[in-house]
Amino acid sequence: MRTFDTKHTILQSSKSNIIILSHLERMGSKSVEFRLARVLRDFVWDYLLQTTTMKSLLFLILASVLCFGFDLSIGISLLACFFIYLLTGGWRFAWVVIRTFPRDARALSYLIMIKLNMRWLMRTNGNLTTVFAKTVKRQPEKAAMLFENQTWTFRQVDEYSNAVANYFHDAGYRQGDVIAIFMETRPEFVCLWLGLAKIGVTGALINFNLRMEALVHCVKAADAKALIFGTELTQAMKDANGSFGRHMSIYCTGPRDPSLNGWASNLDPLIEMSLKHPPNAPVIKLNDKLFFIYTSGTTGLPKAAVITHGRFYYMSQGVHKMFSMRSSDVIYDTLPLYHSAGGILGVGQMIISGCTLVVKKKFSASKFWDDCVAYNCTVIQYIGEICRYLLAQPFRPTETQHQVRLAYGNGLRPQIWEQFVSRFGVKKIGEFYGATEGNANVLNMEGKMGAVGFTTRIAPALYPVTLIKVDKETGEPVRGRNGLCVHCQPGEPGELVGKIIKGDIIREFDGYSNQSATEKKVARDVFSKGDMAFLTGDVLVMDQFGYLYFRDRTGDTFRWKGENVSTAEVEAVISNIIKLKDAAVYGVEIPGMEGRAGMAAIVDKHHTVNLKALQRDLQKSLPPYARPIFIRLMEEVDTTGTFKLKKTELKKVGFNPALTGDKMFYLDSKIGEFTPLSKQSYNDICGGKIRF
């Protein structure tokens, strides 16, 4: 605890002492002025510890003196310093302050508002389910979710989730237990995890594309005691059922399949018979686990990222406030609900803010704008590929007859940003960036074309998210002589990181169910000695005003078809299929397409790889988005000291057959097989004649 001198406020840093005269001598220690000055003093202290530029320091001195008062001699000296600062190039930073202060002040006000709401929830033992209960009380008969020809009111969602909670509580499940949910998109998916949350049971939201080993891994990684699956995924469950273990309880929901008798309990009649009133809930806190969302990383199979009640609230309210959404909005959500974009940033608008949510089983480019008109949608969610698919569609009248004023999501390419806005008449784009489990979340609330978000350059200590330099070969942070990470200047690409502050829900990193995986995403000594920061694994670049632009992904993960693909997982599958030790998987860019397509380089000295068999087995073992599009067969390859194939050169060559003598193949969607990649087919792919 720092002390406050009634005559002077003394701020001591490692380099200098700054004495600011105070006029609070006659004020009591309980006065509003005293408390305000103390908050300002602490802010100044934190800022000085974070800043590394003399320009920022001088600008802050002037602002502080103007706030606290000064005598003539000190004022003249400081004003002289300030003018020198301006004349020697400091006007650039002053211009940054003038340009970005309104933006930063607005974002700060929203951040403070959200933090105050979360503090109140913590003091009152509130959580996401208590917030939803208040939403239901305000508007019980309003439409909460629209799905196909169904309308679920807030009362119906509440009663269904209450029945889920009461059944599983009576069945013996208690706070801290985990139940996996494996089903395609429909309203019951949300009601299931919401009902489990009411009794403190954690849901594990499983990607419905997963099969076999990956499916079993996700269930076991969460240490689930039970699994609920939709009958539309019966075959996937049958293929993997023997691997779950005898002690796991399995439930099914949906149209009854007679073949399930004996090994899966039908959950629908059990819920129907359960009580619809609120369950006897334990004390559930804001930092308790809500559910797991799975994210691919460099460790191979998907990792179970922890989502707490507080993280769900913060993420949902962040986009709601900063994108100026309203409780009267009707949101069109075609994204899968097992992901954070659709399942948190979309569903959260319904649960917390009382918006109406339109959910779809799957995205349809031809029906998109027709649905928006039919459901009177005012807001849509997107990922970059959705925008491209919509632009590729022929003109239809409904694309200009809708009421959509806001589109929010991530991955909208700068090349099609303006075209998307002008063609479809969407007034505002709300682009954001953030890892499901991370604390380095940024938003572009002003519609700055191409930017994924921004960070303040005036007072970076208020929101400690920054870019650090990384070694291009190893991916490790570059450190200076003092042992701290080297921060990037505007125009310099670097990995985005967020400072971890224990006890602060917004700045916490809740990690994964696996502690080892959690440690790999944490860097130490980033901002100052002894601190910790979350590593996003993504390379961005910042302009002079703090706007951030996405560049690339680091490590062994790339994004394709809106999904994160773990190269280690795909490499393991390929090695098991072809019985070869040396295989490398990486992402390659295809002109005009979002993300990176998967490519596998396989060492095949004796020409024994059967590509037809490889493709057949890949279909059985991997979801569609993780299957390689390109294959490169190599007789020899350079390896690292740990015998891993060097991917840097492989990525440079990409799928261009003119740059190598190795045989290359691409997955021909018309015949479903790998076909030799010629110079002509390469040109056709780059020109958009061959699409994936």
Side-chain angles (χ1 to χ4, degrees):
M1 180 66 69
R2 308 181 192 101
T3 60
F4 186 88
D5 191 315
T6 57
K7 290 188 177 181
H8 299 87
T9 302
I10 301 178
L11 305 178
Q12 294 184 336
S13 68
S14 59
K15 295 182 178 180
S16 63
N17 296 332
I18 300 175
I19 302 178
I20 299 176
L21 297 179
S22 172
H23 295 293
L24 300 174
E25 187 173 20
R26 294 184 296 275
M27 299 179 182
S29 62
K30 300 298 183 181
S31 69
V32 174
E33 293 87 346
F34 183 93
R35 293 196 297 271
L36 181 61
R38 202 167 144 182
V39 169
L40 183 58
R41 180 208 64 187
D42 286 343
F43 162 70
V44 172
W45 172 275
D46 291 336
Y47 187 90
L48 289 176
L49 290 181
Q50 296 295 336
T51 188
T52 57
T53 67
M54 183 59 66
K55 294 177 182 178
S56 300
L57 181 60
L58 289 174
F59 193 90
L60 185 61
I61 291 173
L62 179 63
S64 302
V65 171
L66 289 175
C67 289
F68 285 103
F70 53 87
D71 63 21
L72 188 60
S73 59
I74 294 179
I76 292 174
S77 300
L78 288 173
L79 282 174
C81 290
F82 183 63
F83 280 117
I84 293 172
Y85 154 70
L86 291 177
L87 293 173
T88 56
W91 62 269
R92 292 186 179 87
F93 183 73
W95 176 236
V96 168
V97 173
I98 294 170
R99 281 284 304 273
T100 63
F101 180 78
R103 178 199 68 186
D104 293 1
R106 180 183 163 205
L108 179 60
S109 68
Y110 291 145
L111 184 63
I112 291 173
M113 191 184 308
I114 294 171
K115 292 192 75 170
L116 288 176
N117 289 340
M118 294 176 70
R119 285 185 180 181
W120 180 83
L121 287 172
M122 292 183 71
R123 287 198 301 268
T124 58
N125 286 328
N127 57 71
L128 192 66
T129 65
T130 62
V131 171
F132 178 65
K134 293 181 179 180
T135 305
V136 174
K137 189 175 181 179
R138 284 198 312 269
Q139 47 193 35
E141 301 308 319
K142 180 182 177 181
M145 285 189 284
L146 304 176
F147 176 73
E148 296 179 347
N149 61 348
Q150 304 174 26
T151 298
W152 288 61
T153 66
F154 280 89
R155 177 182 55 79
Q156 290 172 320
V157 172
D158 189 47
E159 289 179 349
Y160 190 99
S161 59
N162 285 341
V164 171
N166 286 317
Y167 170 75
F168 281 101
H169 186 271
D170 293 343
Y173 294 90
R174 293 294 182 266
Q175 187 171 11
D177 290 339
V178 178
I179 296 179
I181 305 174
F182 180 56
M183 58 193 295
E184 293 181 354
T185 295
R186 49 189 166 104
E188 289 88 346
F189 183 89
V190 177
C191 297
L192 284 169
W193 68 250
L194 182 60
L196 296 175
K198 290 185 175 186
I199 57 173
V201 173
T202 304
L205 312 187
I206 309 294
N207 182 335
F208 56 70
N209 290 294
L210 298 182
R211 298 293 184 269
M212 301 294 288
E213 181 186 0
L215 171 59
V216 175
H217 164 80
C218 287
V219 175
K220 290 186 175 181
D223 195 22
K225 290 188 175 182
L227 185 149
I228 305 168
F229 73 94
T231 51
E232 68 276 8
L233 298 172
T234 296
Q235 188 57 52
M237 284 297 299
K238 286 182 176 179
D239 292 342
N241 185 41
S243 303
F244 290 124
R246 296 181 179 179
H247 301 294
M248 176 170 291
S249 299
I250 297 178
Y251 300 86
C252 66
T253 175
R256 185 63 182 163
D257 185 339
S259 68
L260 296 175
N261 290 334
W263 66 274
S265 302
N266 190 354
L267 186 60
D268 294 338
L270 300 175
I271 292 177
E272 185 64 30
M273 293 185 295
S274 296
L275 297 173
K276 303 296 189 295
H277 61 65
N280 294 321
V283 175
I284 302 170
K285 298 180 180 179
L286 206 60
N287 56 2
D288 285 342
K289 294 176 184 176
L290 175 63
F291 50 61
F292 293 117
I293 283 184
Y294 291 83
T295 176
S296 297
T298 58
T299 57
L301 292 167
K303 298 177 291 186
V306 176
I307 304 297
T308 64
H309 289 253
R311 177 168 290 278
F312 187 105
Y313 184 92
Y314 166 63
M315 292 174 68
S316 302
Q317 284 296 279
V319 298
H320 187 88
K321 298 289 186 187
M322 295 199 185
F323 294 152
S324 302
M325 297 172 70
R326 310 160 187 163
S327 61
S328 58
D329 279 326
V330 179
I331 303 170
Y332 191 62
D333 184 0
T334 63
L335 304 178
L337 301 184
Y338 58 77
H339 269 176
S340 56
I344 298 179
L345 302 182
V347 173
Q349 308 313 316
M350 180 268 289
I351 290 179
I352 300 173
S353 303
C355 301
T356 298
L357 193 70
V358 180
V359 293
K360 301 289 292 183
K361 186 168 291 185
K362 61 181 180 179
F363 164 75
S364 170
S366 61
K367 297 179 180 178
F368 191 93
W369 295 114
D370 295 344
D371 282 346
C372 288
V373 172
Y375 290 114
N376 296 313
C377 296
T378 56
V379 177
I380 60 175
Q381 281 191 269
Y382 69 82
I383 55 174
E385 286 196 328
I386 284 180
C387 299
R388 183 171 57 81
Y389 291 149
L390 293 176
L391 286 170
Q393 288 289 304
F395 173 82
R396 50 176 44 85
T398 50
E399 69 182 46
T400 57
Q401 295 171 351
H402 59 80
Q403 303 176 48
V404 175
R405 74 173 195 286
L406 167 68
Y408 73 103
N410 64 296
L412 179 55
R413 293 169 65 108
Q415 294 87 343
I416 64 172
W417 187 303
E418 189 172 359
Q419 184 183 356
F420 182 86
V421 172
S422 60
R423 174 174 170 178
F424 301 121
V426 178
K427 295 180 180 179
K428 184 174 183 178
I429 299 295
E431 179 81 5
F432 63 81
Y433 168 89
T436 297
E437 70 279 27
N439 64 359
N441 305 308
V442 293
L443 301 96
N444 177 2
M445 64 184 189
E446 295 184 317
K448 175 73 172 178
M449 192 173 72
V452 301
F454 73 93
T455 185
T456 175
R457 296 201 63 212
I458 302 174
L462 290 178
Y463 196 70
V465 172
T466 192
L467 301 177
I468 62 171
K469 293 183 178 182
V470 294
D471 187 285
K472 292 181 180 180
E473 293 296 327
T474 66
E476 292 295 318
V478 175
R479 297 186 179 275
R481 293 181 179 179
N482 58 3
L484 301 179
C485 292
V486 178
H487 294 212
C488 297
Q489 296 301 313
E492 295 180 338
E495 182 174 0
L496 188 69
V497 299
K499 186 176 182 179
I500 298 171
I501 301 176
K502 295 291 184 181
D504 185 337
I505 293 180
I506 292 178
R507 299 256 39 92
E508 269 280 17
F509 169 46
D510 299 307
Y512 311 97
S513 60
N514 182 287
Q515 186 58 36
S516 175
T518 300
E519 284 297 318
K520 292 181 180 180
K521 296 293 287 185
V522 176
R524 288 172 168 76
D525 300 336
V526 177
F527 295 85
S528 60
K529 286 290 185 180
D531 70 1
M532 296 187 296
F534 168 75
L535 298 168
T536 63
D538 290 329
V539 175
L540 286 78
V541 66
M542 179 179 66
D543 68 15
Q544 63 173 329
F545 299 114
Y547 286 105
L548 296 162
Y549 303 84
F550 183 84
R551 277 287 184 88
D552 205 350
R553 297 188 68 85
T554 63
D556 286 334
T557 304
F558 62 90
R559 195 165 180 84
W560 178 246
K561 299 293 184 183
E563 302 277 359
N564 287 339
V565 180
S566 166
T567 59
E569 178 186 353
V570 180
E571 286 167 355
V573 170
I574 291 176
S575 294
N576 289 336
I577 294 173
I578 63 178
K579 310 301 180 184
L580 293 175
K581 187 174 183 180
D582 294 330
V585 174
Y586 46 97
V588 294
E589 285 188 285
I590 300 177
M593 298 197 71
E594 275 72 36
R596 281 169 162 71
M599 184 166 187
I602 301 171
V603 178
D604 185 24
K605 295 181 180 180
H606 305 293
H607 311 287
T608 57
V609 172
N610 185 329
L611 292 180
K612 288 186 178 180
L614 174 63
Q615 169 61 7
R616 183 180 63 247
D617 290 339
L618 287 173
Q619 287 181 313
K620 294 179 181 179
S621 304
L622 291 173
Y625 60 83
R627 299 168 194 162
I629 302 296
F630 301 102
I631 297 292
R632 178 178 175 180
L633 299 181
M634 313 173 68
E635 291 192 2
E636 59 182 12
V637 67
D638 292 333
T639 60
T640 66
T642 55
F643 305 104
K644 294 181 180 179
L645 303 188
K646 291 184 177 180
K647 296 184 181 181
T648 303
E649 292 301 319
L650 296 175
K651 291 178 181 178
K652 289 180 180 178
V653 173
F655 63 99
N656 188 348
L659 299 181
T660 177
D662 296 330
K663 294 180 180 179
M664 289 190 181
F665 304 83
Y666 74 97
L667 184 60
D668 189 332
S669 58
K670 293 181 180 179
I671 61 176
E673 295 180 358
F674 286 109
T675 301
L677 182 63
S678 64
K679 185 176 181 180
Q680 182 59 49
S681 57
Y682 171 80
N683 291 333
D684 289 343
I685 292 171
C686 294
K689 294 181 180 180
I690 298 177
R691 306 185 68 84
F692 303 97

